[in-house]
Amino acid sequence: MIPATARAGFASWPGRAEAWLDERGRPAWIAAMVAGFIAFWPVGLALLAYMIWSKRMFSRSCSARRSMSRSMAWNSSGNAAFDAYKADTLRRLEEEQIAFESFLQRLREAKDKQEFDAFMQERARKAGTPAGDVEA
C-alpha cells in the first residue's frame, strides 16, 4: 500500500493539509478550526462544519483510525495461503492505482495539448495567417 506521505504528492493542497492534520489527530483539527475563527470566522465555521460532516469531531482520533486500518492490512492471519493471496492482491491493486494515475496524467496532458493547439489555431486565424505557418 502506498503510504500517506507518498500519496500526498498526488493530491492538491487541501488533500495534503487534510492528511497532515489527520496525522496529528483531533487536537490539530481543533487548533486549525480555532485559528480559522480568529483569522476569518467563515473559515473556522467551514472547518467546524467539515469536522462534523466527516465525523472527525465525535469519533476516535483520525491518526489512530488510520494506523489501525493500516496495521490490520499487514497483520498475518495465520494462514500462509491467505496471507500470500492478500499480499499479491494488495501489490496488484497498488500497481493498478499507479497505472491509473499515469493514465489520468496522460489524459490531462492530451487535453492540455488539444486546448493549446485550438488556441494557436484561433490566434493564427485572427492574425490572418494559416494555422500550419505558425511555429509551435
Side-chain angles (χ1 to χ4, degrees):
M1 181 168 257
I2 299 173
T5 54
R7 279 193 309 259
F10 298 112
S12 61
W13 70 266
R16 288 191 307 264
E18 180 181 8
W20 186 85
L21 287 169
D22 279 347
E23 289 173 4
R24 282 142 185 86
R26 188 180 302 152
W29 279 99
I30 293 172
M33 179 187 59
V34 169
F37 273 114
I38 291 171
F40 186 58
W41 70 266
V43 173
L45 189 62
L47 275 172
L48 175 63
Y50 179 73
M51 288 170 59
I52 292 171
W53 172 76
S54 65
K55 301 195 180 7
R56 280 177 168 76
M57 182 65 91
F58 303 111
S59 64
R60 291 190 276 166
S61 173
C62 303
S63 60
R65 179 182 28 201
R66 183 167 280 158
S67 66
M68 184 179 73
S69 65
R70 195 177 305 133
S71 67
M72 286 177 58
W74 295 108
N75 282 346
S76 174
S77 68
N79 184 328
F82 177 74
D83 289 342
Y85 168 77
K86 181 171 68 170
D88 183 52
T89 302
L90 289 173
R91 180 193 50 78
R92 184 180 48 81
L93 287 173
E94 288 172 0
E95 290 172 357
E96 287 179 10
Q97 178 182 5
I98 291 169
F100 183 68
E101 288 170 350
S102 68
F103 168 75
L104 287 178
Q105 183 62 32
R106 289 192 311 271
L107 198 61
R108 285 186 205 105
E109 290 170 0
K111 181 181 176 200
D112 289 347
K113 181 171 177 13
Q114 179 185 15
E115 290 173 352
F116 177 74
D117 290 344
F119 165 76
M120 291 301 287
Q121 287 177 351
E122 182 180 331
R123 185 173 150 219
R125 192 174 19 115
K126 286 181 181 178
T129 61
D133 294 345
V134 177
E135 294 184 24

